[in-house]
Amino acid sequence: MSLPRTACEIRAAVAGREVSAVEVCRDALDRIARADPKLHAFLHVDERGALARAAQLDRQPPAAAPPLLGVPVALKDNICTASMPTTAGSRLLEEYVPPYSAAVVERLAQAGAVIVGKTNCDEFAMGSSTEHSAFGPSRNPWDLDRIPGGSSGGSAVAVAAGMVPLSLGSETGGSIRQPAALCGVTGLKPTYGRVSRYGLIAFGSSLDQIGPFAGSARDMAALFGVIAGRDARDATSAPDAVPDYTAGLTGDIGGLRVGVPRALLDEGVEPGVAAAFAAALRELAQAGAVVTDIDLPHASLAIPVYYLVANAEASSNLARYDGVRYGTRADASSLTEMYYRTRARFGAEVKRRIMIGTFVLSAGYYDAYYVKAQQVRALIRKDYDAAFANVDVVAVPTSPTVAFRLGARTADPIQMYLSDVFTAAANLAGVPAISVPCGLSEGLPVGLQLTARPFDEATLLRAADVMERRIVMPRPDAGSI
Amino acid sequence: MADTLTRADVERIATLARLELTPDEVTLFAGQLTAILAYADQVQQVDTSAIEVAPAAAAGHPAARDDEPAPCLDRDTVLSQAPSADRTAGLFTVPRVLGS
């Protein structure tokens, strides 16, 4: 018999004893072993730990089947795991094994999931292609010469290539949605505060958020219901009740008001992406949504604001990598020299961002850059508040282009940053946003991005589910198994 | 605003950030940081006179809690993570701090 592939099918089959968690786990490990040599989605595969965990699940009484029973899940390598290395794609944390696991890891364990390994990402989640990983880039399963997007590129690839049905990534400015779009899977950036960051390696603390990748909104709803919710160990985590996201997938978006910020789309959207986006809007309308034009006057400033705010926070957060308490240490004859030489191991992009952040926080520049950026950020947030008075979701393409070729943007940091021109605003405003596949351009996936009011992920999942029913995506050729 | 960052500016920032840069990195970053800051300068064109104070983080939830002792990682576990430590004394160890 063929083994179940989606998270919901796996859970039902394992709960019904039609298949064992060990069989499902072996299948995922086999897929990883076959596909990963060419895709490099994983930095670490915990074959022994995953099989032991699956066997343990198979021994448990079948009475209460938790929501992810026997489901293989991959984690971005900036999410701490006490039983596996956690490198964040950096030489500074090479072979680092944390002394504790992230809150989301505990929740996955309680939900019966089987964590199979850790996925590749740009170093400390800084990048849009995985090319800034210290351990080499991941490849896009639709075209191995192209990047998968980033920074959570490995997690997107692992789902897109069919290695695992679910994975977790993290976002500071588009790092889940952009790779989801470029790899043809669904990716969600939750509301700021919706998912505990306890055990997430910090990058930009006013922006960081963990979120899921899945092959469908239904699988994503199951995973998101597990990871969402209050955690006292993350002071920013929100007490708001977690709805039943699966029950919210009614297939009905009749009357949903969809706003399109037309002025934002004037520049830089590839014709093929624009065409797929237009087709997606027609599908939304045919499904009963009401599509209107709106204005987000400050959203075009999201990238400059983002790179001032995020880098300022990064320069502060990454000060902890000094070679004293954990991670690697460079040989040196004095403490100061040790700091400099240890931190010389950061890759070029991380150094660039620490430098920018240090500069904008330094005396004489703080008000002009950092404070000014925070003020413009407040205006970006107000734009969304105003928009959501009239519409329920805002629709834009997730990425202005399809996946670009490896090396195409590494020499020009600003071009790389512009990959997130449509995603960074949601992080700055703290609102939830989803990328759902909406067709192909030049044979490569295009993502539709929908943004909603704070804590209204249920609407995003419902709309994504409707889109998936209407636009059936093919499987990637190059890297799938 | 700072129109152009010189090599000396880059070296000054690197010192603040405790980053050792190669001469090539100093040259590369002088150009790239100048370009990135010039790009970010767009924010200067925005009228923010109506925004009174710099907002804090996006979340609107109170982060305060009672300051009560709670379990945390024990000292041996923490020291076991260090590149160099004296576990008997319960200390991280580092190269000399003062003198030559």
Side-chain angles (χ1 to χ4, degrees):
Chain A
M1 71 172 255
S2 68
L3 289 164
R5 294 290 296 275
T6 74
C8 294
E9 288 167 0
I10 289 169
R11 186 244 187 186
V14 174
R17 300 277 159 137
E18 296 159 36
V19 63
S20 71
V22 167
E23 287 173 287
V24 172
C25 183
R26 273 194 208 287
D27 184 49
L29 292 168
D30 285 349
R31 290 170 189 282
I32 293 167
R34 273 182 282 149
D36 212 45
K38 53 186 174 180
L39 293 172
H40 193 225
F42 283 84
L43 293 179
H44 179 81
V45 178
D46 184 18
E47 183 170 342
R48 217 166 58 174
L51 286 169
R53 164 73 174 152
Q56 178 204 16
L57 291 168
D58 284 333
R59 287 193 298 271
Q60 288 178 1
L68 297 177
L69 180 63
V71 179
V73 179
L75 303 177
K76 185 178 183 179
D77 204 27
N78 63 349
I79 296 172
C80 285
T81 42
S83 59
M84 291 179 226
T86 301
T87 70
S90 180
R91 291 278 174 219
L92 272 94
L93 293 178
E94 203 165 6
E95 297 173 22
Y96 170 66
V97 180
Y100 64 93
S101 289
V104 291
V105 175
E106 296 173 353
R107 283 171 173 264
L108 286 171
Q110 285 158 12
V114 176
I115 294 168
V116 296
K118 307 297 288 290
T119 59
N120 194 21
C121 58
D122 291 289
E123 183 176 8
F124 289 107
M126 297 179 181
S128 305
S129 70
T130 70
E131 291 169 292
H132 295 310
S133 167
F135 309 110
S138 303
R139 306 275 174 158
N140 193 309
W142 293 79
D143 179 345
L144 299 178
D145 292 331
R146 292 175 190 266
I147 58 92
S151 64
S152 314
S155 287
V157 172
V159 173
M163 293 191 257
V164 287
L166 296 172
S167 64
L168 292 183
S170 72
E171 277 222 15
T172 307
S175 279
I176 292 171
R177 288 164 286 156
Q178 184 254 18
L182 303 192
C183 289
V185 297
T186 300
L188 173 66
K189 197 289 285 187
T191 309
Y192 185 81
R194 180 73 292 187
V195 177
S196 171
R197 290 107 47 94
Y198 177 76
L200 173 67
I201 292 178
F203 163 10
S205 298
S206 76
L207 302 155
D208 295 341
Q209 188 65 196
I210 293 171
F213 290 91
S216 71
R218 188 158 294 276
D219 275 6
M220 179 170 283
L223 172 56
F224 190 53
V226 166
I227 63 169
R230 168 88 179 135
D231 173 23
R233 295 167 299 181
D234 174 359
T236 61
S237 108
D240 303 53
V242 178
D244 182 339
Y245 295 109
T246 301
L249 304 178
T250 58
D252 179 10
I253 57 166
L256 184 76
R257 295 170 302 170
V258 179
V260 181
R262 289 283 172 199
L264 195 59
L265 308 178
D266 284 348
E267 295 171 54
V269 180
E270 284 179 352
V273 172
F277 176 66
L281 293 180
R282 287 194 296 275
E283 291 292 338
L284 284 168
Q286 282 171 17
V290 181
V291 181
T292 57
D293 287 358
I294 60 160
D295 200 14
L296 293 173
H298 299 94
S300 62
L301 292 158
I303 290 292
V305 169
Y306 173 77
Y307 279 94
L308 295 171
V309 172
N311 291 348
E313 295 179 8
S315 73
S316 173
N317 273 324
L318 271 62
R320 72 191 62 176
Y321 300 103
D322 57 8
V324 175
R325 289 152 299 165
Y326 54 90
T328 61
R329 169 188 291 194
D331 289 335
S333 57
S334 76
L335 180 65
T336 309
E337 186 190 0
M338 187 191 88
Y339 291 152
Y340 281 97
R341 295 188 57 191
T342 298
R343 292 165 63 77
R345 294 175 176 176
F346 284 128
E349 181 61 20
V350 174
K351 286 180 182 168
R352 249 190 308 274
R353 296 199 191 199
I354 290 174
M355 296 283 287
I356 292 281
T358 302
F359 177 73
V360 304
L361 291 176
S362 65
Y365 299 98
Y366 180 84
D367 286 339
Y369 282 113
Y370 184 69
V371 173
K372 186 75 180 183
Q374 288 286 29
Q375 290 171 329
V376 179
R377 178 183 188 177
L379 292 171
I380 291 171
R381 200 176 301 155
K382 280 171 184 273
D383 287 352
Y384 278 106
D385 289 345
F388 288 132
N390 299 307
V391 298
D392 302 308
V393 296
V394 173
V396 292
T398 309
S399 162
T401 70
V402 292
F404 47 91
R405 292 187 184 282
L406 268 89
R409 298 190 185 183
T410 42
D412 185 344
I414 294 174
Q415 277 307 305
M416 187 72 89
Y417 299 168
L418 287 171
S419 309
D420 285 304
V421 65
F422 297 141
T423 49
N427 302 82
L428 292 166
V431 293
I434 200 166
S435 180
V436 59
C438 71
L440 300 177
S441 168
E442 303 165 39
L444 296 165
V446 176
L448 167 71
Q449 180 181 205
L450 299 173
T451 306
R453 297 180 187 89
F455 301 101
D456 193 13
E457 287 88 352
T459 294
L460 297 179
L461 289 164
R462 188 168 76 248
D465 177 52
V466 168
M467 290 305 288
E468 287 165 7
R469 296 177 197 211
R470 301 182 74 94
I471 301 177
V472 176
M473 292 283 287
R475 301 281 303 172
D477 292 332
S480 76
I481 20 130
Chain B
M1 305 310 301
D3 293 321
T4 304
L5 289 182
T6 63
R7 290 178 56 91
D9 292 330
V10 170
E11 285 168 353
R12 181 181 62 83
I13 300 164
T15 301
L16 286 172
R18 300 287 185 269
L19 282 177
E20 183 179 83
L21 301 182
T22 64
D24 284 350
E25 284 178 323
V26 173
T27 304
L28 178 71
F29 287 172
Q32 289 183 336
L33 268 53
T34 296
I36 293 167
L37 289 168
Y39 175 74
D41 232 21
Q42 300 174 56
V43 300
Q44 307 302 335
Q45 313 306 317
V46 183
D47 178 5
T48 53
S49 55
I51 306 293
E52 288 180 5
V53 290
H61 302 287
R65 59 169 171 79
D66 293 335
D67 187 16
E68 290 170 348
C72 64
L73 295 173
D74 63 73
R75 189 165 65 184
D76 277 349
T77 304
V78 173
L79 288 175
S80 73
Q81 300 278 316
S84 177
D86 181 337
R87 296 226 211 160
T88 313
L91 302 168
F92 296 108
T93 52
V94 295
R96 65 179 172 71
V97 177
L98 296 171
S100 58

